[in-house]
Amino acid sequence: MKALHKQLHQQSIENPNAFWEEAAKSLMWDKPFSRVLDDNDAPMYRWFSGGELNTCYNAVDRHVEAGRGEQIAIQYVSPITDTEYGITYTELQAQVSRLAGYMAAQGVNKGDRVVIYMPMVPETAYAMLACARLGAIHSVVFGGFAANELATRIDDAKPSMILSASCGIEPSGVVAYKPLLDEALSQTKHQVSQCLILNRPQLTAELVERRDVDWQSAMATAPNIACQPVAATDPLYVLYTSGTTGQPKGVVRDNGGHGVALSWSMKNVYNIEAGDVFWAASDVGWVVGHSYIVYGPLLVGATTLLFEGKPIGTPDPGIFWRIIDKYKVKSFFTAPTAIRAIKRDDPDGEYLNNVDLSGLGTVFLAGERCDPDTLHWTEQQLKKPVIDHWWQTETGWPVAANLMGVAPVPVKAGSPALAVPGYNVQVVDEMGDEVSANQTGNVVIKLPLPPGTLTTLWHNEARYKDSYLSMYPGFYLTGDAGYMDEDGYLYIMSRIDDVINVAGHRLSTGRFEEVLCQHEAVAEAAVIGAADQLKGQVPLGLVVLKKGCTLTDEQLYKELIALVREQIGPVAAFRLVSAIPKLPKTRSGKILRGTMRKIADNQSYNMPATIEDPYTLELVRNVLTRMGYADAHV
């Protein structure tokens, strides 16, 4: 199958117009496009210029018209609230049409922005699809984000309406959203005249007179509205991602390219077609939720599973497996950090007993680098293919993956496999020259990027060019470091700024973490490079242990240091490692290595807006101080 993957990839690079014109047949177009790839304003490329379509129509209405209205479109599962129910395509069409009708009656038009600040409930998907139905541009902000971060995004997007909810629900309890929204609006320069608020039974929000409207009351009298055709090149949404300057970057996704790319990926990467059940265990606040909870599965007429819960603690490490069994999930997508959490609490897979996973075809992992130990553990426990794949908020869909629906290739642990058709991925040195096989460098993608990727940054084309296109003209800078082997398999080892320089030797923190996770007592690991007067930088290791570890600290550290010395060599200068109860992470599961590095080097830092638990940074400071860094480091 590797030959077929290579053939498809070669076709997409040598003749992108023919390749993507064929892929575009998966959608219904209101007006045919006049050009597939529009390079008139390169490097600001556009796809399917002249074409018109509606993303909501393609994701909802056409399936009803095709006679599949009674199929479940969204299966909602909330173990936190003990709630489960299905929404058919016919019901979804009715809900979305009414919500869009209400928004239109309030003056929301094509091109207007709408901020969505909501938890993992079906109404959040309705909100996104209603915006798409009108041609309005939605900007989803992760529910529970700090007020000042929400305010920043409101001021940048300048929405005409905000859709929110009274609360979100976490294992720790109810999180009130409305006070955060009120505080954010008190800080913004941009004034929002109306907020539509979904009151959940767990907490009722106090509505501000003349500004806030109750969701249920509004829907009771809302008119239905048809889908509005938009240009393929018109924005569908803006999704903010953290910027190095502290100012969020608004990634812009178009309608046409987005629909084509996601439809193509559902079949070819995830092996999902109409009627199949697909579950991406993520959040709609992240790009995975946009692409593969809401839009991707619905565009191909599949059933998407919307989950409000956690891999552990809601109520136990077996919740994922029981849901997959109950709803006959064919393809399951989660983050390696979720698997590591399950592995930590259930290392022997006892919660898999009496669970039938015969309907599960494939498990997909993404969102961060997947170490081989996590991949192998998952394979051994589930007895299913486990596929690592790599992509970014900016790309919107996989850059490197195993094409499980059309051309699967052998798995190599530690690699997300081969570049996906459409992506001309290369590894280059600091001068922009391609490096040899197995040599680490900066991972770049030759322009043009394929359909579905970011077209620019919201109202900031200069920053788009500076952040992504300026370092290597003609190429998109991914910001990741890695290498390709002799078979073309890509290995993403770390962010570019997570490559550490130990006495002139460039070493990837990802490689250190890969080795540490091989130890039977280690559930998770993070390695950072701390400043050192003699060597420039030295690696510091932090490990989270599996439950039931009986090794003494001294014995554990001795074995870990020996393991790194054996597999990486003395050049690693790895002498400092410590156990920690919990690593600091974003809510999407990414380890905050950059922040930890600043703590180790006594540099000032801002509390990351996306941090899951601020207390973990104090844990890190205490551990690093005991290791001779942080406050104790001179």
Side-chain angles (χ1 to χ4, degrees), residues 149 152-153 241-249 463 606:
E149 295 292 335
T152 300
R153 287 153 174 78
T241 183
S242 299
T244 55
T245 65
Q247 182 69 21
K249 297 181 291 189
R463 189 179 183 195
N606 295 321

PDB file of all heavy atoms in Angstrom, residues 149 152-153 241-249 463 606:
ATOM      1  N   GLU A 149      -8.732  36.901  28.621  1.00  0.00           N
ATOM      2  CA  GLU A 149      -8.439  36.248  27.351  1.00  0.00           C
ATOM      3  C   GLU A 149      -9.665  36.288  26.435  1.00  0.00           C
ATOM      4  O   GLU A 149      -9.550  36.502  25.228  1.00  0.00           O
ATOM      5  CB  GLU A 149      -8.007  34.800  27.584  1.00  0.00           C
ATOM      6  CG  GLU A 149      -6.699  34.659  28.338  1.00  0.00           C
ATOM      7  CD  GLU A 149      -5.504  35.152  27.530  1.00  0.00           C
ATOM      8  OE1 GLU A 149      -5.592  35.144  26.286  1.00  0.00           O
ATOM      9  OE2 GLU A 149      -4.500  35.551  28.140  1.00  0.00           O
ATOM     10  N   THR A 152      -9.932  39.792  24.986  1.00  0.00           N
ATOM     11  CA  THR A 152      -8.983  40.018  23.896  1.00  0.00           C
ATOM     12  C   THR A 152      -9.531  39.495  22.573  1.00  0.00           C
ATOM     13  O   THR A 152      -9.431  40.150  21.528  1.00  0.00           O
ATOM     14  CB  THR A 152      -7.641  39.322  24.205  1.00  0.00           C
ATOM     15  OG1 THR A 152      -7.104  39.854  25.415  1.00  0.00           O
ATOM     16  CG2 THR A 152      -6.638  39.531  23.094  1.00  0.00           C
ATOM     17  N   ARG A 153     -10.143  38.335  22.623  1.00  0.00           N
ATOM     18  CA  ARG A 153     -10.688  37.730  21.411  1.00  0.00           C
ATOM     19  C   ARG A 153     -11.931  38.469  20.923  1.00  0.00           C
ATOM     20  O   ARG A 153     -12.142  38.603  19.716  1.00  0.00           O
ATOM     21  CB  ARG A 153     -10.983  36.251  21.686  1.00  0.00           C
ATOM     22  CG  ARG A 153      -9.695  35.413  21.780  1.00  0.00           C
ATOM     23  CD  ARG A 153      -9.868  34.174  22.653  1.00  0.00           C
ATOM     24  NE  ARG A 153      -8.682  33.320  22.607  1.00  0.00           N
ATOM     25  CZ  ARG A 153      -7.549  33.555  23.271  1.00  0.00           C
ATOM     26  NH1 ARG A 153      -7.428  34.650  24.025  1.00  0.00           N
ATOM     27  NH2 ARG A 153      -6.525  32.723  23.180  1.00  0.00           N
ATOM     28  N   THR A 241      -5.359  31.037  18.261  1.00  0.00           N
ATOM     29  CA  THR A 241      -4.315  30.208  18.836  1.00  0.00           C
ATOM     30  C   THR A 241      -3.307  31.130  19.494  1.00  0.00           C
ATOM     31  O   THR A 241      -3.146  32.288  19.095  1.00  0.00           O
ATOM     32  CB  THR A 241      -3.634  29.334  17.759  1.00  0.00           C
ATOM     33  OG1 THR A 241      -2.666  28.481  18.372  1.00  0.00           O
ATOM     34  CG2 THR A 241      -2.954  30.171  16.686  1.00  0.00           C
ATOM     35  N   SER A 242      -2.641  30.631  20.513  1.00  0.00           N
ATOM     36  CA  SER A 242      -1.715  31.476  21.277  1.00  0.00           C
ATOM     37  C   SER A 242      -0.581  31.953  20.392  1.00  0.00           C
ATOM     38  O   SER A 242      -0.033  31.189  19.591  1.00  0.00           O
ATOM     39  CB  SER A 242      -1.148  30.698  22.463  1.00  0.00           C
ATOM     40  OG  SER A 242      -2.190  30.305  23.324  1.00  0.00           O
ATOM     41  N   GLY A 243      -0.214  33.200  20.558  1.00  0.00           N
ATOM     42  CA  GLY A 243       0.906  33.769  19.809  1.00  0.00           C
ATOM     43  C   GLY A 243       2.103  33.993  20.714  1.00  0.00           C
ATOM     44  O   GLY A 243       1.965  34.125  21.924  1.00  0.00           O
ATOM     45  N   THR A 244       3.287  34.013  20.124  1.00  0.00           N
ATOM     46  CA  THR A 244       4.499  34.200  20.918  1.00  0.00           C
ATOM     47  C   THR A 244       4.575  35.588  21.524  1.00  0.00           C
ATOM     48  O   THR A 244       5.267  35.804  22.510  1.00  0.00           O
ATOM     49  CB  THR A 244       5.745  33.957  20.049  1.00  0.00           C
ATOM     50  OG1 THR A 244       5.664  34.814  18.891  1.00  0.00           O
ATOM     51  CG2 THR A 244       5.812  32.519  19.573  1.00  0.00           C
ATOM     52  N   THR A 245       3.859  36.541  20.961  1.00  0.00           N
ATOM     53  CA  THR A 245       3.889  37.900  21.493  1.00  0.00           C
ATOM     54  C   THR A 245       2.892  38.093  22.622  1.00  0.00           C
ATOM     55  O   THR A 245       2.844  39.145  23.239  1.00  0.00           O
ATOM     56  CB  THR A 245       3.551  38.917  20.384  1.00  0.00           C
ATOM     57  OG1 THR A 245       2.190  38.692  19.957  1.00  0.00           O
ATOM     58  CG2 THR A 245       4.473  38.769  19.213  1.00  0.00           C
ATOM     59  N   GLY A 246       2.067  37.068  22.892  1.00  0.00           N
ATOM     60  CA  GLY A 246       1.018  37.201  23.888  1.00  0.00           C
ATOM     61  C   GLY A 246      -0.298  37.649  23.279  1.00  0.00           C
ATOM     62  O   GLY A 246      -1.341  37.579  23.920  1.00  0.00           O
ATOM     63  N   GLN A 247      -0.260  38.116  22.026  1.00  0.00           N
ATOM     64  CA  GLN A 247      -1.473  38.516  21.329  1.00  0.00           C
ATOM     65  C   GLN A 247      -1.959  37.329  20.506  1.00  0.00           C
ATOM     66  O   GLN A 247      -1.238  36.830  19.645  1.00  0.00           O
ATOM     67  CB  GLN A 247      -1.185  39.709  20.411  1.00  0.00           C
ATOM     68  CG  GLN A 247      -2.407  40.240  19.660  1.00  0.00           C
ATOM     69  CD  GLN A 247      -3.402  40.913  20.571  1.00  0.00           C
ATOM     70  OE1 GLN A 247      -3.048  41.334  21.659  1.00  0.00           O
ATOM     71  NE2 GLN A 247      -4.652  40.997  20.145  1.00  0.00           N
ATOM     72  N   PRO A 248      -3.159  36.831  20.762  1.00  0.00           N
ATOM     73  CA  PRO A 248      -3.641  35.644  20.033  1.00  0.00           C
ATOM     74  C   PRO A 248      -3.686  35.865  18.528  1.00  0.00           C
ATOM     75  O   PRO A 248      -3.912  36.978  18.051  1.00  0.00           O
ATOM     76  CB  PRO A 248      -5.056  35.437  20.595  1.00  0.00           C
ATOM     77  CG  PRO A 248      -5.056  36.150  21.897  1.00  0.00           C
ATOM     78  CD  PRO A 248      -4.130  37.316  21.737  1.00  0.00           C
ATOM     79  N   LYS A 249      -3.454  34.770  17.807  1.00  0.00           N
ATOM     80  CA  LYS A 249      -3.505  34.807  16.353  1.00  0.00           C
ATOM     81  C   LYS A 249      -4.818  34.184  15.888  1.00  0.00           C
ATOM     82  O   LYS A 249      -5.129  33.049  16.241  1.00  0.00           O
ATOM     83  CB  LYS A 249      -2.322  34.031  15.762  1.00  0.00           C
ATOM     84  CG  LYS A 249      -0.961  34.606  16.106  1.00  0.00           C
ATOM     85  CD  LYS A 249       0.165  33.827  15.479  1.00  0.00           C
ATOM     86  CE  LYS A 249       0.334  32.458  16.080  1.00  0.00           C
ATOM     87  NZ  LYS A 249       1.557  31.774  15.612  1.00  0.00           N
ATOM     88  N   ARG A 463       1.230  39.833   9.821  1.00  0.00           N
ATOM     89  CA  ARG A 463       1.680  38.888  10.847  1.00  0.00           C
ATOM     90  C   ARG A 463       1.656  37.460  10.322  1.00  0.00           C
ATOM     91  O   ARG A 463       2.501  36.638  10.679  1.00  0.00           O
ATOM     92  CB  ARG A 463       0.802  39.017  12.094  1.00  0.00           C
ATOM     93  CG  ARG A 463       1.345  38.221  13.285  1.00  0.00           C
ATOM     94  CD  ARG A 463       0.487  38.364  14.514  1.00  0.00           C
ATOM     95  NE  ARG A 463       1.077  37.661  15.630  1.00  0.00           N
ATOM     96  CZ  ARG A 463       0.429  37.371  16.754  1.00  0.00           C
ATOM     97  NH1 ARG A 463      -0.828  37.759  16.913  1.00  0.00           N
ATOM     98  NH2 ARG A 463       1.023  36.714  17.727  1.00  0.00           N
ATOM     99  N   ASN A 606       4.061  34.912  31.907  1.00  0.00           N
ATOM    100  CA  ASN A 606       2.642  35.141  32.159  1.00  0.00           C
ATOM    101  C   ASN A 606       1.958  33.798  32.368  1.00  0.00           C
ATOM    102  O   ASN A 606       2.314  32.803  31.724  1.00  0.00           O
ATOM    103  CB  ASN A 606       1.988  35.865  30.977  1.00  0.00           C
ATOM    104  CG  ASN A 606       2.545  37.261  30.786  1.00  0.00           C
ATOM    105  OD1 ASN A 606       2.807  37.966  31.754  1.00  0.00           O
ATOM    106  ND2 ASN A 606       2.736  37.659  29.531  1.00  0.00           N
TER     107      ASN A 606
END
